[in-house]
Amino acid sequence: MRVLRPAVLAACMAVAVTAHSRLTEINVQKVEPFANGASFGTTGAYERVWGVARGELDPADTRNKGIVNLDRAPRNAKGKVEYEVEWFMLRPADAAKGNHKLLFEVTNRGRKFLMNWIMDAPTQAAGAVNDPKTEKDAGNALFFRQGWTMAWTGWDPDAPKSNNGMAMKVPVVPNVTRMIRDEFVNGTRAPQAGSFRLSYEAATTEPSKSTLTMRRKEKDVRVEIPVSGWAFANSREIALLPVGTKPEPGTLYELHYPAKDPKVLGIGFAATRDFVSFLRNESSDDAFQPNPADRGIGKVIATGISQSGRYLRDFVHQGFNQDEGRRKVFDGVLAHISGIGGVFLNAEFAQPARTNTQHEDHYYPENAFPFSAARTTDPVSKKSGTLLRGDGFDPLWIEVNTSTEYWQKGASLLHTDPLGRADLRLPANARVFMISGTQHGGRAGLKPDFGPCMNPRNPHSPAPALRALLVALDAWVTRGTPPPASRVPTLRAKTLVAADRTGFPKLQGLAIADFVNSIAVYGDWVSPKETTPSPYRPLVAKVGIDANEVAGLRLPDIEVPLATYTGWNLYKAPFTEGELCDRDGSFVPLAATKSERHARNDPRPSLEERYGTHANYVKKLEAAARTLVKDRLLLAEDAQQYVKAARDESVAKLFAH
């Protein structure tokens, strides 16, 4: 037997490492016990691991050619484009006790949602649990108990770094300047501020080279603000004049300005691809630093919520689920509250933080055909297409939306043709679910406060359904067990209707929405103009006698309700009154008694009329939970929690009349 000398052996190993993964370096900065070594089921203890990874991309590789401006980015001595990405991991301390599978969550504006949005952990800050370190941060610990390795990376260079947010570093394309558009809205999605931060550095701060307009509502005519009414505070910030002038809450301000130094943001897709591929396939990096993940990982599931779900839609559609070694990256994907959108990332001067709604960010590119996993024909371009590629690298695909996405994100077009005239038959590797009676940001612990909206906001949580669907996706990926059939409102059943045909009753003191966010083609995002009257027809779910939606995945508290829960709400003054209130829903409790109902002129049956007694209410809810468990749409442990909550003294008091 021929024996290789150490130097030759090392060279051969380096070739083996780099042949199929362009993650060249994975630095582990720290390893420490999670939750002080607390044990989770049979998996035992977990570890927190984090660091920085570096990679390089070949612009000539066919799997990278779709990255906008990659060919114009600076290159290293090998002719490759380099990047750097932050990563974080929770792994079983004893890999042998894990399930040898990876759950990868795409971060949302640098934030981790898995713990609080899906496992019901208390929120730390910024709507997330970005620094999970205590047993409390594990929530119900479902994925810990099941033995998953969980991982996150940054993908947006401009994602906020505050509160342990995650980002990455990508190159800038030199010597590029062009006119772009920034939209600013004050106080709706973030606290009110006195100035506006630009998405890119202005090439000049001379106000005469830029134009600032304002309009109160999305359809209003833009009114130019004279240069005496605003100024550049610096090359990344503008403010209204005179000094101290506050932007009007909810008003839309738009700045057209010459921007410079676009980053190659599409590298984010490749960085996700190569990091995950490295974790599941490689033993070490080019410098022989070991892979920090369980080397026995066999299957990988990805999940993304809102922006990160839209990211996954583009990730798959644009071909990034195949790595440079022609291997599949994600075996299964669950995208939650993504609607029909993608993320404005792989473009010059892209702005991935944007999210299209009826009032805000309405003219940014997000809702581009094809919308559905089923093949359809676009009535605008006349081209046929499907979200999935059919190239052998598609993951098993589950899309989950709340009621809000039907009102704000065109979600009905996931399962109807673009004209909204016929139900679609999805391919065997795809499922679509609407979680009825839930708003976009639904999760455990929400309260029915008003925020900027006219009606109390919807506190209903979709998390129990998400947990059941992730478990079903795991069984699909691991054992080939098909998940439950799609559950959505349909034209066939006459449960999918126009927004002004839902049958929603007039309720005292409640502002009611009867219109949706339109889906259209606007051409150039810098100077957007609807090219033709939009033929796309988004629809919403019909409601029943209690004003809750009659179709979709109805969790026990919607099937056996104490209140009405919607996916829509409207802005109140001093915001843009009457516009759809961002992605919020509404909440209206049912009257306790028949007399109370009549006093309110409320057509919905009261608790007294619907259930009679508290005991009967609990009985009906328990039956609904059992049915969902049987259908694999609710875990048995979550069914028990529903029944426990129904028996609570606070609920019993509702029936003490």
Side-chain angles (χ1 to χ4, degrees), residues 395-407:
L396 297 175
W397 186 253
I398 294 180
E399 293 197 76
V400 186
N401 286 284
T402 68
S403 311
T404 299
E405 284 69 59
Y406 283 73
W407 291 83

Side-chain angles (χ1 to χ4, degrees), residues 172-193:
V172 167
V173 181
N175 305 316
V176 173
T177 300
R178 61 174 281 203
M179 189 69 70
I180 71 168
R181 176 176 66 93
D182 255 331
E183 178 184 289
F184 313 107
V185 189
N186 199 28
T188 55
R189 295 176 178 169
Q192 295 192 40

